[in-house]
Amino acid sequence: MVMTSPLLIALILCLTAFVLWAQELEEMESDVDTLDKELQQGCSTAIHARDRLKQLEENLARQEKQNFTGSMIEAYVFKFMPEHFRGLNLSSRMDAHNSSVLNNDILGAFLQSGPVAGLSRPVEIKFWHDMELDASNATCVFWQPGDGANSTGSWSREGCETTHGEGIIICHCNHLTYFAVLLIPAGALSPAQLASLTYISTIGCSLSAAAILCTLALCCFFRRWLKDNTTRIHMHLLAALLLLNCSFLLSTPLAAGSEGLCQVAAALLHAGLLCALAWMAAEAFHLLLLLVKVYNIYIQHYLLKLCLFAWGLPMLAVVAIFVFKRDTYGYHNISSSEGYRNMTTCWLTSQPAHYATICCAGLILLFNTLVLGRVMIILWRIQRQKEQARKDWVTVLVLTCLLGTTWGLAFFSFGVFLVPQLYLFTILNSLQGFFICLWYITLHRQSKLGSVTNTFR
């Protein structure tokens, strides 16, 4: 009995240590459950929840491995003691969500001694998923805090490499911070392409707006220029393009402000686009009456009816949407291929409204293209001298601007045509008002015009 007493005492001590260790693990799991419940309750316990999270981190720092999950905690932060740090391998397995961040999942890791960067052995972070992804639409990034107090920071992939496997994305990074996987939409532009298109559209719309203002001012000063319905229709089209250009130039700056201002800017941009397209349709209809119909047709209150169609209907639709379903307008994100260098503007946020606008634009452009094709056939059939025929084809180019057929390039934004189409679309349509004003001013400076050109005077 004397010999067995030390063994019995040792056994009791081991059992006691095991029970204490099990209680500590149970307390850690209880901490996670308590923290999860507190986060679900709302902001009233946010300060207490942060204290519990800090306590949880300290408990995790003393353990080699600890697994836990929570319904509300989607970003787990681990702090490790520097003397115990021998590398890091984190793994995340979550259900898929519709988000630019894979699974809405962010993992963070830090050392208590301070920032860690330039590791010779990269940190390995695994993100599990059940989607079809490849290197073109998913990349590993980390959160880079902003420099100033007003800067929120941004995602960056510097120092991180992405490896794709079946149902898993592995990130190897040479520093410790918050990590995530960004999902990039297919066909997204590079930041350089997005920036260049922004510059081109800004310069083009600014030139068009300035040219339109000068032309409208000249028409108001020289009222004899507004002697017929054709010229008045041109001026209404220019006014609609002025609204479109100005609202477009304001949409991006106002996206940095309040949501209410952004919604107003988006509504004005939508109204400008619809009115411009409607007046292009009015130009095509008027051209059809002038060149295709052989008999003179008189329509009572002709210009007033065109104004009700081209100004009234679009404005009525936009006002109705803004009053009854204002959330149709708001912040619109334009994604780049790097995911964290996106651009925010004010535009439609509703897919049905977006598709309805595309359908409306498609019908108008189809009608205008058919009218333009009919005019080209008439010009081809008329026997003229070479010099006069050249003037006729110049007129066709002018009609292309008036009827807005270049807007049809938007329907070729796929595959290999995407980038060239975007540049052509941006250049031609941002300068549409400038081209029309240039043609109109040149028209009034000429002393003698061809018969087809005279039709539009």
Side-chain angles (χ1 to χ4, degrees):
M1 293 294 296
V2 176
M3 294 296 295
T4 58
S5 296
L7 294 176
L8 182 59
I9 294 173
L11 179 60
I12 293 173
L13 291 175
C14 289
L15 289 174
T16 304
F18 177 78
V19 170
L20 293 175
W21 179 75
Q23 288 179 350
E24 186 177 1
L25 288 180
E26 185 177 356
E27 290 177 358
M28 291 175 61
E29 294 178 356
S30 177
D31 288 340
V32 176
D33 295 337
T34 304
L35 177 60
D36 189 34
K37 293 178 181 178
E38 290 173 348
L39 289 176
Q40 293 183 35
Q41 292 175 0
C43 299
S44 60
T45 59
I47 298 177
H48 185 49
R50 285 197 296 268
D51 295 336
R52 300 300 297 271
L53 181 59
K54 183 178 180 181
Q55 181 183 358
L56 176 62
E57 291 170 350
E58 294 175 353
N59 292 335
L60 288 171
R62 296 193 295 268
Q63 300 297 323
E64 293 183 0
K65 182 178 180 181
Q66 178 66 29
N67 296 324
F68 60 91
T69 59
S71 60
M72 293 294 293
I73 309 174
E74 295 185 356
Y76 301 127
V77 182
F78 303 88
K79 291 185 178 180
F80 299 89
M81 298 294 185
E83 61 270 16
H84 297 153
F85 185 71
R86 296 294 184 272
L88 182 63
N89 188 327
L90 299 178
S91 178
S92 166
R93 185 187 293 271
M94 301 278 289
D95 295 330
H97 298 283
N98 294 325
S99 173
S100 59
V101 177
L102 178 64
N103 297 335
N104 286 332
D105 195 12
I106 301 173
L107 289 174
F110 304 88
L111 286 181
Q112 290 185 344
S113 59
V116 176
L119 296 174
S120 57
R121 179 184 174 184
V123 174
E124 183 179 283
I125 309 99
K126 297 179 180 179
F127 292 89
W128 300 84
H129 62 87
D130 56 1
M131 296 178 283
E132 295 183 3
L133 301 174
D134 53 36
S136 64
N137 57 9
T139 182
C140 296
V141 294
F142 72 96
W143 184 255
Q144 191 172 38
D147 297 331
N150 297 327
S151 178
T152 58
S154 62
W155 293 110
S156 174
R157 61 181 178 183
E158 184 178 356
C160 290
E161 294 183 358
T162 307
T163 304
H164 292 262
E166 185 176 355
I168 188 174
I169 296 177
I170 304 175
C171 302
H172 294 90
C173 300
N174 61 3
H175 52 274
L176 296 182
T177 180
Y178 291 98
F179 303 100
V181 175
L182 285 189
L183 303 180
I184 311 301
L189 298 173
S190 67
Q193 292 172 336
L194 185 59
S196 62
L197 287 171
T198 303
Y199 294 143
I200 292 173
S201 59
T202 302
I203 294 174
C205 289
S206 300
L207 285 175
S208 292
I212 291 172
L213 281 174
C214 293
T215 304
L216 292 177
L218 288 174
C219 287
C220 292
F221 185 76
F222 299 104
R223 291 188 176 272
R224 64 179 181 274
W225 288 13
L226 301 173
K227 59 183 179 180
D228 56 18
N229 285 334
T230 301
T231 305
R232 296 189 184 100
I233 292 175
H234 295 339
M235 294 304 104
H236 281 286
L237 174 60
L238 289 179
L241 289 175
L242 178 63
L243 175 61
L244 175 61
N245 291 326
C246 292
S247 56
F248 176 81
L249 292 174
L250 291 175
S251 62
T252 301
L254 290 180
S258 64
E259 185 178 4
L261 286 176
C262 188
Q263 289 176 337
V264 172
L268 288 176
L269 181 58
H270 193 209
L273 177 61
L274 294 179
C275 290
L277 290 172
W279 277 110
M280 293 173 199
E283 290 275 6
F285 178 75
H286 186 67
L287 178 63
L288 189 66
L289 293 182
L290 290 176
L291 292 185
V292 178
K293 298 296 182 180
V294 293
Y295 300 105
N296 291 329
I297 299 178
Y298 174 75
I299 301 178
Q300 189 176 11
H301 304 299
Y302 177 59
L303 187 60
L304 177 60
K305 292 178 180 178
L306 289 181
C307 289
L308 291 176
F309 164 75
W311 286 117
L313 289 181
M315 289 295 183
L316 182 62
V318 171
V319 170
I321 293 174
F322 191 81
V323 171
F324 297 105
K325 197 171 178 57
R326 184 174 298 185
D327 57 354
T328 301
Y329 303 113
Y331 300 109
H332 176 73
N333 186 59
I334 302 175
S335 301
S336 69
S337 60
E338 294 187 3
Y340 49 86
R341 296 184 182 179
N342 302 333
M343 185 180 72
T344 303
T345 185
C346 300
W347 183 232
L348 296 171
T349 59
S350 171
Q351 287 293 337
H354 180 73
Y355 291 137
T357 303
I358 291 178
C359 291
C360 178
L363 292 175
I364 290 175
L365 293 175
L366 177 61
F367 172 69
N368 291 6
T369 303
L370 293 176
V371 173
L372 180 62
R374 178 62 174 167
V375 173
M376 292 176 64
I377 293 175
I378 292 175
L379 293 176
W380 179 73
R381 289 177 177 176
I382 297 176
Q383 298 296 326
R384 297 182 182 275
Q385 297 179 355
K386 184 177 180 181
E387 182 180 358
Q388 186 62 48
R390 188 182 301 115
K391 292 182 180 180
D392 291 341
W393 289 110
V394 171
T395 303
V396 170
L397 295 178
V398 173
L399 291 176
T400 303
C401 290
L402 284 174
L403 304 183
T405 53
T406 54
W407 288 81
L409 291 171
F411 296 95
F412 295 92
S413 55
F414 56 86
V416 295
F417 301 104
L418 176 63
V419 176
Q421 171 270 337
L422 284 176
Y423 278 95
L424 282 175
F425 180 89
T426 303
I427 294 172
L428 295 177
N429 294 322
S430 65
L431 292 171
Q432 181 183 7
F434 176 76
F435 291 149
I436 295 176
C437 292
L438 186 63
W439 163 76
Y440 190 75
I441 298 300
T442 304
L443 183 66
H444 282 271
R445 295 188 62 181
Q446 292 178 352
S447 58
K448 187 177 181 179
L449 304 173
S451 60
V452 176
T453 307
N454 281 332
T455 306
F456 299 96
R457 294 187 62 179

